[in-house]
Amino acid sequence: MASSSHSSTAGGGRAVTPAPSSTELRLRGAGGEPVDFRRTLASHGVASLPPARIDEQTWTLEVTLRTPVALAAIELIADEFPQLIVGAGTVLGGAQIEAAERAGARFLVTPGSTARLLDRLEASGLPFLCGCSTPSDIVALLDRGICQMKLFPAEAIGGIEMVKALAGPFSEVSFCPTGGI
């Protein structure tokens, strides 16, 4: 789970930009009192969380769909912490899109894309960030009018040097490199 800030643009371009992380998990309740986010989730049976910074400065939280409790975590966060914008990451198909929507996800992040997945994402109406790792992936997303992309797995495909190499021919693309950077 990673914290991030979020913006949405017209024309299918949607962006989710990472924010710094730490191990402090605190929010303010409705009365201004500190709330222990991890303890609240654990009390509802959602206890397996990696470190993340959650405080008054955090608006958006991505919960990856890589564990059996991910959808429960999204639902709980959406219900218990309405001041946060919670989304689903590692979205691979239509069933996950629908389940994430039902759980209360307000944005979606994928590690890659196919034409079918993009159709489903666009039909959902939710903001989304699709993963790419090759120039061909980037061109395919640009063909769909998508200019904000998750570069994944960034470190494994060349890290900072890959980001620099792609920046030249794809100057109109905003990359969100994840996976080791």
Side-chain angles (χ1 to χ4, degrees):
M1 181 164 52
S3 59
S4 59
S5 62
H6 171 263
S7 65
S8 178
T9 59
R14 294 153 178 113
V16 178
T17 308
S21 66
S22 76
T23 57
E24 187 171 323
L25 291 161
R26 301 259 180 229
L27 286 171
R28 298 280 176 194
E33 71 282 2
V35 175
D36 187 321
F37 184 77
R38 188 181 300 272
R39 183 170 293 144
T40 300
L41 292 177
S43 72
H44 288 83
V46 180
S48 177
L49 295 174
R53 178 187 165 96
I54 301 171
D55 59 26
E56 303 83 26
Q57 302 302 310
T58 302
W59 334 339
T60 306
L61 201 62
E62 176 190 348
V63 177
T64 59
L65 300 183
R66 295 186 294 183
T67 70
V69 298
L71 291 169
I74 291 170
E75 185 171 8
L76 181 63
I77 293 164
D79 291 344
E80 297 285 325
F81 301 98
Q83 69 270 42
L84 295 177
I85 299 169
V86 64
T90 318
V91 174
L92 303 175
Q96 287 181 321
I97 293 169
E98 292 167 10
E101 282 184 288
R102 283 192 305 274
R106 293 172 50 196
F107 68 91
L108 306 166
V109 181
T110 72
S113 64
T114 64
R116 183 174 177 191
L117 178 59
L118 286 167
D119 289 343
R120 299 294 292 271
L121 289 164
E122 289 171 344
S124 77
L126 292 176
F128 59 91
L129 184 67
C130 285
C132 64
S133 57
T134 68
S136 294
D137 294 343
I138 296 165
V139 170
L141 290 170
L142 285 171
D143 280 349
R144 303 274 304 232
I146 298 169
C147 296
Q148 291 83 28
M149 303 172 198
K150 171 182 173 174
L151 186 64
F152 178 80
E155 188 62 32
I157 62 171
I160 298 298
E161 292 305 314
M162 179 67 154
V163 174
K164 289 178 185 177
L166 293 172
F170 299 109
S171 60
E172 71 275 33
V173 175
S174 295
F175 292 108
C176 175
T178 66
I181 290 186

